[in-house]
Every structure is written in structure tokens, then in C-alpha cells.
């Protein structure tokens, strides 16, 4: 989508449609909406007076000006109650307006910056949210639809109009950040939505490399030989049942003049999880193509980090493998010696995410991370705990947990803290090895994290269990059905906040 910023009066814009807004309960609109009302001979006030438009959150109404202003249509969108208004409301109404515009066949949409005026938000934040809501809300994954791929109904162009020339630089900056962050999120969504046959570890690594080349990130892809040389035996163990070889992807953003320890982002990249010998049931197994949602989030966030040229050293690591049964597959009862040297008793080959993350987090230690954040579709138990409304957040450092949770609060990606208590660590003690890879049914999301924690060597670490959030079966505000790209915006916000 082409995105641009214009300084001036939105009512003077020659366009297919302009988007204006109204807070709930306002009967005499001011600002651009008030001016539009006058140009429409009181048309908006009568909509309000007749009760046809109340400004209720996400309500829309389309008006066709009979001359007076050059725009063909006015799309009015309700902002809801002013006292409840947040940045996420901006994303949501922007998405609703864009979807409405697309339904009307509008290719080029012009909007005011919701929340920048009476909403009282910072102009840059508001502009960023408008762009995010528009791009993310009109995203679709049509790669495998033959024929009518582009039904001519795609929104190709968005123009943000700001009246106050003093805000130009801020609005432009916010719009650019929004576009970059939304692009990174859409990249992650695409990667997640591609099926397992099209996105095995080798292809995921190729996509990461293409991305890196495109934005000037350094990228090193370790094949099975180099993975073995590094001693990443847990990754090899998970991969050994598959004809598809594993890959370990290393992306590095040097952060310009900044030195010092980097932030390391780590993604679980299981491109398909059958469960292995501890095989899953047939019901819903196709879902397990999204078991690389953590990897996708890391790749999307690294793209955005490079394009924004954030002054923070950032490393992205992805442990990519299939988890398949087969004559060479890992078996329950097997014992693996991890890269760190700890021995692991395999109780379930379906608890494979924590295995590949164990060696990934050991690899991360060489960077002496300022912070390491892993993202993983790790446990069904996390979905039982939090549903699809939030990701589980578990950390060995309260300050880092707070930073991550706050970033998610700002981006609308809720990360909810769970504890690791001594008893949880007991659950994964093994009789025969140093640790076992399952801890039984109780607190499954926590014991999964406790397993990873056992491989963290004295640096601040946070784990995000995105099993419930990486994919959505129902359309959500600015998140259509499919891969969600959950975590990209949170990670970028986290990094921007560190910068
Ligand atoms: N990838 C799954 C977790 C998952 C389940 C993600 C549903 C998204 C939706 C993971 O590898 C897994 O199979 N976990 C097991 C762990 C158990 C064997 C300890 C689980 O959650 O059942
Ligand atoms: Mn599994
Ligand atoms: Zn898995």
C-alpha cells in the first residue's frame, strides 16, 4: 500500500472517499467533521439527530455529498466514548473504515489522523496506529487462490491528512513507522499461513535470507553439518525423524554506532508438528503448520528493526525443523545430551519446541545478551490458561517482564505473566537424566517454560508462549483469520523503547 501524508484541509481533497470520525454522544461535531457537516448542509447532524449515527465504537455510515466538497464519499466512523479512547481504538476504527472503503470498491482512501485532535494522542503515535489498522485490517493471504487474486478491490493508497502544519514531521514519522511495522507483521502472517509442504526449514531459511538481503541485515544459515559442529544435538534430535533437514538461522542488526550486549530474539520454528512418535490426533492437526509462529515473529521484527535502523544491537535466532515420526525419529525414553551439556530424558516427542529452544538459548549465550526473548507456540496448556486473548509471559527478571508486558500493552498484544515456582521445576526432574521434557498435565505452560529456563545462563530472559495467539480462526479487529503476526509489533515497540 502506498502511504502518504498531506498537510491541509481534508474537505478540499479530491478523492474517492474521506474518513471522518465522531465520539459517541457528540451531537454538534467540531473540527473536520463539523466542517463536513456544514458542507453537507447539516447532513451529519441530522444523522445524529435521527439516531442513525451515534458515534458508537466502530459504527460506520457512508454519506454521498451532493457537491460542496470534492470527495465522492464521506465515511463516518464512530470512536466510542471519549473517556475510553486508546491507541488500540485508533487501530480498530482505521481497520473498520478501510474495510468499509474496500467493500465500496475504493482504491485510494483519504483519512484524518484519528485521535490526533480531540483524542489527545501524540500525533506520531496516532498516525502510526492509523496506518497499522489500515494495512493490517485489509491484509489478506491470497497466495494459493488462483484466478481472481486481485479482484480490483484492493486498497492501494492511503493518504493521511493533517490540518496542523506544525505536526507534519510527527505525522510523517508515525506513518512511516506504522508502515514498516505493519509490513513486518504481514511478512510474519504470510510465513505462518504458508502450509508445511511449502515452508519446510530450508524454505523458511531462504525467506529469511531474502528478507535480510532486502534490508541489509547479516544472515547466516547453519545447515545440518554446521548445526552438528556447533553441538546443537537437541535440534538434530527433533529433526532426525524428518526427510526435511533442519536449519538454524542467525540474523544480526548491528545498531549503527551502538556497541555493547545485544537483545537476542529467539523463535521456535517447527514448520510442521505431527508430535513425532508421540503422534498427535488427526483432529485439527493441520493447525500445526503454524508451529513456526515464533520464528515468523522474529523474522518480521528483524525486518522492521533493520528498516527502522533502530540504534540497538539485535540478534534474531530461529531453530527450524519439522517434527515427524519415522524409523529414525526420536523416541520416548531416549536421552539426548544438549549443547549446554545437560542430559534430557525425552518423555514425549511432542514436547519438541522446548528441545530446539534449549540449544537455541545456549547458542544465544555467546552474545552475552542484554536480554533474550523467546517466542514459541509452546503449549496447548497456555491456550487453556489464557485462551486466545493473551500470550503467556514467563521471565527470570521482573524488570524485563515488565518491559515486555508494557510494550504489549501499547501495541494491543497482551502478554500475561505466569510464575515459575520451585514445585514446577520439581515436575521436570528426571530419575535417569538431568531433566525430562514434560512435567505432566498441571501447569503445562509453566513447566514448558521451566524447561527452557534450565538452559538460560545468567542473563535476563523472557519467554512468550504464543500457542493461543499466533493463529486466529475468527476475524478480529485488524487481524483477519489466519496467521496473526503476533509479537512483531510488541518486539519492535520493545526495541524502540530500549533505543
Ligand atoms: N506445538 C505444540 C503446542 C500447541 C498446541 C501449539 C496447540 C498451538 C496449538 C507443542 O509442540 C506441543 O505439542 N506441546 C505439547 C506439550 C506436552 C506434550 C507436554 C502440548 O501442549 O500438548
Ligand atoms: Mn509438539
Ligand atoms: Zn510444537
Amino acid at each position: 500500500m502506498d502511504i502518504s501524508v498531506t498537510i491541509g484541509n481534508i474537505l478540499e481533497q479530491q478523492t474517492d472517499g474521506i474518513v471522518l470520525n465522531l465520539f459517541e454522544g457528540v451531537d454538534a461535531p467540531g473540527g473536520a467533521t463539523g466542517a463536513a457537516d456544514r458542507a453537507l448542509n447539516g447532513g451529519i447532524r441530522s444523522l445524529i439527530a435521527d439516531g442513525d449515527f451515534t458515534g458508537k465504537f466502530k459504527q460506520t455510515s457512508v454519506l454521498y455529498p451532493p457537491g460542496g466538497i470534492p470527495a465522492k464519499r464521506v465515511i463516518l466512523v464512530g470512536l466510542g466514548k471519549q473517556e475510553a479512547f486508546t491507541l488500540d481504538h485508533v487501530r480498530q476504527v482505521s481497520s473498520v473504515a478501510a474495510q468499509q472503503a474496500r467493500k465500496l470498491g475504493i482504491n485510494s482512501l483519504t483519512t484524518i489522523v484519528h485521535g490526533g485532535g480531540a483524542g489527545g494522542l501524540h500525533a506520531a503515535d496516532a498516525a502510526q496506529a492509523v496506518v497499522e489498522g489500515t494495512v493490517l485490517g485489509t491484509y489478506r493471504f491470497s497466495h494459493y487462490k488462483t484466478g481472481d487474486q486481485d479482484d480490483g478491490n484492493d486498497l492501494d493508497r492511503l493518504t493521511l491528512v493533517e490540518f496542523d502544519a506544525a505536526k507534519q514531521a510527527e505525522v510523517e514519522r508515525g506513518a512511516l513507522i506504522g508502515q514498516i511495522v505493519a509490513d513486518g507483521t504481514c511478512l510474519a502472517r504470510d510465513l505462518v499461513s504458508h502450509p508445511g509442504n511449502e515452508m519446510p526449514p530450508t524454505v523458511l531459511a531462504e525467506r529469511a535470507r531474502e528478507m535480510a538481503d532486502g534490508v541489509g541485515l547479516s544472515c547466516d544459515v547453519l545447515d545440518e553439518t554446521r548445526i552438528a559442529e556447533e553441538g546443537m544435538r537437541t535440534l538434530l534430535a527433533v529433526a532426525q525423524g524428518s526427510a526435511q533437514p533442519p536449519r538454524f538461522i542467525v540474523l544480526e542488526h548491528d545498531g549503527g554506532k551502538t556497541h555493547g550486549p545485544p537483545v537476542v530474539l529467539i523463535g521456535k520454528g517447527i514448520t510442521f508438528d505431527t508430535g513425532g512418535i508421540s503422534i498427535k490426533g488427526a483432529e485439527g492437526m493441520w493447525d500445526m503448520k503454524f508451529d513456526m509462529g515464533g520464528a515468523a515473529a522474529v523474522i518480521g521484527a528483524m525486518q522492521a528493526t533493520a528498516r527502522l535502523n533502530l540504534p540497538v544491537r539485535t540478534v534474531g535466532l530461529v531453530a527450524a525443523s519439522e517434527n515427524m515420526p519415522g524409523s529414525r525419529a526420536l523416541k520416548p525414553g531416549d536421552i539426548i545430551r544438549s549443547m549446554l551439556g545437560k542430559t534430557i530424558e525425552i518423555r514425549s516427542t511432542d514436547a519438541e519446541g522446548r528441545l530446539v529452544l534449549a540449544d537455541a538459548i545456549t547458542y544465544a549465550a555467546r552474545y552475552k545478551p542484554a536480554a533474550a526473548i523467546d517466542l514459541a507456540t509452546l503449549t496447548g496448556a497456555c491456550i487453556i490458561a489464557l485462551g486466545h486473548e493473551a500470550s503467556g509471559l514467563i521471565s527470570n527478571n521482573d524488570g524485563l517482564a515488565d518491559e515486555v508486558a508494557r510494550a504489549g500493552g501499547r501495541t494491543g498484544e497482551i502478554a500475561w505473566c505466569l510464575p515459575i515456582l520451585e514445585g514446577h521445576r520439581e515436575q521436570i526432574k528426571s530419575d535417569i537424566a538431568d531433566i525430562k521434557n514434560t512435567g505432566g498435565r498441571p501447569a503445562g505452560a509453566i513447566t514448558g517454560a521451566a524447561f527452557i529456563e534450565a538452559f538460560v545462563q545468567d542473563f535476563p530472559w523472557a519467554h512468550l508462549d504464543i500457542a493461543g495467539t499466533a493463529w486466529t480462526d475468527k476475524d478480529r479487529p485488524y487481524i483477519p483469520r489466519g496467521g496473526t503476526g503476533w509479537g512483531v509489533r510488541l518486539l519492535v515497540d520493545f526495541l524502540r523503547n530500549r533505543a
Side-chain angles (χ1 to χ4, degrees), residues 231-240 248 266-270 273 275-276 278 319-323 330-340 342-363 376 378 435-438 447-449 451-453 455 463:
M232 305 177 84
R233 285 173 297 270
T234 64
L235 178 55
L236 291 175
V238 170
Q240 76 194 31
F248 190 76
I266 304 162
K268 169 178 172 181
I270 300 297
D273 180 14
S278 313
S321 172
E322 267 192 344
N323 186 23
L330 188 63
K331 299 173 293 297
D334 285 359
I335 297 175
I336 306 296
R337 186 179 297 273
S338 72
M339 185 182 190
L340 185 62
K342 288 196 185 186
T343 54
I344 303 167
E345 178 194 359
I346 307 301
R347 281 298 181 96
S348 170
T349 64
D350 198 11
E352 83 297 339
R354 63 198 71 183
L355 293 175
V356 303
L357 288 171
D359 278 355
I361 209 100
T362 302
Y363 189 96
L378 203 74
I435 195 167
K436 62 183 177 188
N437 78 332
T438 63
T447 52
F451 182 91
I452 300 170
E453 181 201 44
F455 298 86
H463 160 70

Side-chain angles (χ1 to χ4, degrees), residues 116-148:
L121 302 171
H122 286 297
D125 293 342
Q128 181 184 343
V130 167
V131 172
E132 287 176 357
T134 304
V135 175
L136 297 176
T138 54
Y139 167 87
R140 43 187 165 195
F141 184 73
S142 51
H143 190 85
Y144 297 99
K145 292 276 191 192
T146 55
D148 60 347

Side-chain angles (χ1 to χ4, degrees), residues 1-5 91 123-139 155-160 170-189 215 300-301 303-308 488-489 492 496:
M1 193 179 295
D2 268 340
I3 292 159
S4 56
V5 173
R91 293 185 200 101
D125 293 342
Q128 181 184 343
V130 167
V131 172
E132 287 176 357
T134 304
V135 175
L136 297 176
T138 54
Y139 167 87
L155 195 60
D156 300 321
R157 202 174 167 78
L158 178 71
T159 307
L160 278 63
E170 285 292 281
V171 172
E172 280 173 354
R173 190 170 65 88
L176 181 64
I177 295 171
Q179 178 157 33
I180 289 172
V181 168
D183 284 351
T185 307
C186 292
L187 169 61
R189 288 179 178 181
V215 299
Q303 172 180 276
T305 301
R307 285 180 66 194
L308 290 167
V488 172
R489 293 181 302 113
V492 175
R496 283 181 60 206

